[in-house]
Amino acid sequence: MKRIKVNGKQVDVDTDEGTPLLWVIREQLGLTGTKYGCGIAQCGTCTIHIDGKAVRSCVYPLSAVTEHNEITTIEGLSQNGDHPVQEAWVELDVPQCGYCQPGMIMAVSAMLDETPNPTDEQIDQRITNICRCGTFQRVRKGIHLAASKKA
């Protein structure tokens, strides 16, 4: 049994320490907003925050966190969907199919915490999540809108 902190709540999980956090979050805790994409940390669909940093949870083992680390999933980003990134996404109708968007939103929100007003070049370097629908231009517009909402 291991105690971890997810979305502000201490929870006990009973699974192998080598299990990727993605599966702990989805299967043990029932938080299905974090999606499975590639399983090798390439696509970013599984992005969560650990202590405010974007992490690809499909390759991040349970053993790497303690009860002192703050794990945040898309469900914990905001209570009412009112995080500036979520608001910008809705306002600009950023997603097409939407499957990758929880991970995209988590990656963007972490980036904006560190770089409040990113340039297009910084966005290209930091946001490496893959969107199969190809909404990257809308994502970029959404990032700039979210940055203005946070200011």
Side-chain angles (χ1 to χ4, degrees):
M1 190 72 67
K2 181 167 183 153
R3 180 163 285 212
I4 59 175
K5 187 175 183 183
V6 179
N7 298 333
K9 297 177 185 161
Q10 294 285 341
V11 294
D12 292 319
V13 294
D14 188 14
T15 193
D16 183 87
E17 289 270 329
T19 302
L21 277 178
L22 170 65
W23 301 115
V24 173
I25 290 164
R26 288 183 60 82
E27 302 295 328
Q28 300 287 314
L29 303 179
L31 299 171
T32 57
T34 305
K35 305 296 185 205
Y36 172 79
C38 66
I40 57 172
Q42 296 267 319
C43 73
T45 300
C46 65
T47 303
I48 61 171
H49 294 173
I50 298 178
D51 298 330
K53 304 289 184 204
V55 172
R56 295 191 175 176
S57 64
C58 69
V59 296
Y60 204 91
L62 176 62
S63 63
V65 294
T66 71
E67 64 185 293
H68 303 292
N69 295 115
E70 179 61 49
I71 300 166
T72 305
T73 68
I74 189 70
E75 291 92 347
L77 189 61
S78 69
Q79 293 290 353
N80 304 312
D82 58 356
H83 187 280
V85 177
Q86 292 169 313
E87 289 178 343
W89 256 230
V90 169
E91 188 173 327
L92 295 177
D93 197 22
V94 169
Q96 186 170 323
C97 84
Y99 189 81
C100 68
Q101 293 307 303
M104 187 81 73
I105 288 168
M106 296 302 286
V108 168
S109 64
M111 180 192 65
L112 290 177
D113 286 344
E114 294 176 10
T115 309
N117 192 22
T119 64
D120 285 346
E121 183 179 350
Q122 289 170 314
I123 291 168
D124 291 346
Q125 290 172 353
R126 295 280 310 276
I127 304 303
T128 58
N129 296 49
I130 296 171
C131 171
R132 289 180 58 166
C133 299
T135 65
F136 296 112
Q137 293 306 316
R138 292 197 312 242
V139 166
R140 180 178 287 152
K141 286 179 186 173
I143 292 169
H144 289 299
L145 179 58
S148 72
K149 290 178 175 289
K150 284 187 77 145

